[in-house]
Structure formats: structure tokens, C-alpha cells
């Protein structure tokens, strides 16, 4: 890619960077398609039960662009009677569940990114102690959203749906409530709260 960029600069300097970015995006999409296929294989392996051979190892996630810098604060603007709030702190790259438009992408993120941490560290990674002594459970809140989605997918798979069909069913439900995450999660949690096998289903689908 570096050699291509050098040639591109010589031929057309104004298009060199654009060409490099396009090439990188094309490679990223190819890697993403391979990851999608691996997710489906992973979920299919979960439906075969504990006596079957273990699913193939999942590939590492593709590199992501670094987050953009936050906008500078507006100086001199205040609201009378406004309360002082705690500074908003990062969750160390735990994506909010509400940031996903496709439920299959949210599930893939949980399998590749969050489940390995849950497997390796238990619940401790989800609860942070801040310098002022506060207990930050924002990671735990997001994890429970992804867990609920995984359980819903697992239930549909136990009822006979393929992983693709289960993801499609959840996507249709999401769109039926106006593509709003809270109503979908509320309905899912209401359905799974009486299931005694919810943890087992979550582990089967997420692989931890």
C-alpha cells in the first residue's frame, strides 16, 4: 500500500491520500465480511451442544479509526440554577448498545469484543472504581443490554431458527418499534426474566 501511495503521489498528488483511504476501506470491508461468516459459524456451533467439537477461534477485530477529539467547551455560557454534574468519563471503548442500527452488528461486537473480557476477567471488568471513590457501573449497564440481545437470539435458535433467521427476527422487532433500543430491550427483558436457563443461553451464544 505504501508503494502504491508513492506512485500515486507522483502521478497525481491531489488524489494520493484519497486512493489510499479507498484501498484501506476496501480491505476493511473484506475483513468484515470474513468476520460475519465466522460469527455465523460460531453461533451454529453453539446449537450443536456441548458434545460437539468446539467452534473455530474467532479472528481479531479489524483496526478502527481513533476517536475524534471532543469539541472545545464553550466559555462564558451558563444556565441559572444549573446543577454541577460529574465529569463524563470514558468507558474505555465499550460501545453503547444504542449506537447500533443492526442487531447482528451489536451481537458480533459482543462476541468479539466483550465476551472475551467476561471470560478472562469475570464481572470485575464491568465495575470501575473512580478516584473519588465512586463506583462506575456504566460498563455493566451496557453489558447487560448485549447479554439480553444474545439471550433473545439463543431462545429463537432453540425454537428452531437459524442464526441468520434469529438475527433477522430481532432486527424486524427493532424496526417495528421505530428502531428504538429501549422499547426493544424492555420487551426482551420482560420475556426472559422468568427463564432459569438465561445464563446458559447467554454463554452458549456469546461463547464464554
Amino acid at each position: 500500500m505504501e508503494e502504491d501511495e508513492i506512485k500515486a503521489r507522483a502521478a497525481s498528488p491531489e488524489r494520493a491520500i484519497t486512493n489510499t483511504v479507498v484501498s484501506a476501506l476496501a480491505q476493511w470491508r473484506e475483513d468484515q465480511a470474513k468476520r460475519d461468516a465466522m460469527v455465523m459459524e460460531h453461533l451454529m456451533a453453539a446449537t450443536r451442544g456441548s458434545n460437539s467439537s468446539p467452534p473455530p477461534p474467532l479472528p481479531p477485530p479489524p483496526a478502527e479509526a481513533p476517536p475524534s477529539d471532543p469539541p472545545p467547551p464553550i466559555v462564558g455560557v451558563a444556565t441559572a440554577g444549573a446543577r454541577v454534574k460529574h465529569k463524563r468519563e470514558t468507558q474505555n471503548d465499550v460501545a453503547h448498545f444504542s449506537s447500533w442500527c443492526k442487531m447482528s452488528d451489536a451481537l458480533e461486537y459482543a462476541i468479539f469484543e466483550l465476551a472475551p473480557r467476561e471470560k478472562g476477567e469475570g464481572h470485575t471488568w464491568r465495575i470501575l472504581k473512580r478516584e473519588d471513590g465512586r463506583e462506575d457501573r456504566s460498563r455493566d449497564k451496557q453489558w447487560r443490554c448485549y447479554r439480553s440481545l444474545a439471550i433473545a437470539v439463543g431462545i429463537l435458535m432453540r425454537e428452531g431458527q437459524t442464526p441468520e433467521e434469529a438475527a433477522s427476527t430481532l432486527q424486524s422487532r427493532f424496526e417495528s418499534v421505530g428502531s428504538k433500543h429501549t422499547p426493544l430491550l424492555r420487551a426482551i427483558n420482560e420475556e426472559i426474566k422468568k427463564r432459569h436457563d438465561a445464563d446458559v443461553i447467554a454463554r452458549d451464544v456469546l461463547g464464554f
Side-chain angles (χ1 to χ4, degrees):
M1 186 178 295
E2 183 177 0
E3 292 177 356
D4 291 341
E5 182 179 357
I6 292 173
K7 294 177 181 178
R9 288 180 187 275
S12 180
E14 68 277 8
R15 292 188 56 82
I17 295 177
T18 300
N19 291 339
T20 301
V21 171
V22 170
S23 297
L25 286 175
Q27 183 61 50
W28 183 88
R29 291 191 184 96
E30 181 180 348
D31 294 341
Q32 192 72 18
K34 292 178 181 178
R35 280 163 51 84
D36 290 342
M38 289 295 292
V39 169
M40 292 300 104
E41 291 180 16
H42 180 86
L43 293 178
M44 287 299 295
T47 65
R48 294 196 288 267
S50 58
N51 293 330
S52 62
S53 59
L58 297 175
E64 296 180 356
S68 58
D69 294 331
I74 301 175
V75 180
V77 178
T79 303
R83 294 186 302 169
V84 177
K85 297 182 179 180
H86 289 294
K87 178 183 177 182
R88 186 171 183 178
E89 294 164 317
T90 179
Q91 297 183 61
N92 292 345
D93 299 329
V94 176
H96 281 259
F97 183 77
S98 59
S99 65
W100 301 101
C101 297
K102 293 179 63 178
M103 295 300 100
S104 57
D105 289 345
L107 182 63
E108 178 182 346
Y109 174 78
I111 291 172
F112 282 115
E113 306 292 342
L114 304 185
R117 302 181 72 175
E118 186 72 11
K119 181 178 181 179
E121 305 174 44
H123 70 280
T124 56
W125 73 274
R126 295 187 259 124
I127 303 174
L128 303 178
K129 288 287 187 179
R130 296 302 183 184
E131 293 181 357
D132 59 3
R134 289 183 297 121
E135 195 174 73
D136 187 339
R137 292 180 173 267
S138 53
R139 286 184 181 177
D140 181 69
K141 180 179 179 181
Q142 298 306 317
W143 164 258
R144 292 182 182 279
C145 295
Y146 291 106
R147 175 181 176 274
S148 294
L149 176 65
I151 293 171
V153 169
I155 290 173
L156 292 172
M157 290 169 62
R158 290 191 175 193
E159 293 175 353
Q161 293 193 22
T162 65
E164 294 89 345
E165 290 170 342
S168 178
T169 297
L170 267 298
Q171 183 68 27
S172 295
R173 290 185 61 178
F174 175 58
E175 294 170 358
S176 72
V177 293
S179 297
K180 296 180 179 179
H181 299 78
T182 299
L184 175 67
L185 285 172
R186 186 182 295 120
I188 290 175
N189 288 331
E190 186 66 25
E191 295 166 6
I192 68 178
K193 68 180 181 181
K194 294 182 180 180
R195 292 195 68 114
H196 301 294
D197 58 350
D199 285 335
V200 174
I201 297 174
R203 290 176 182 274
D204 285 345
V205 172
L206 295 176
F208 70 93

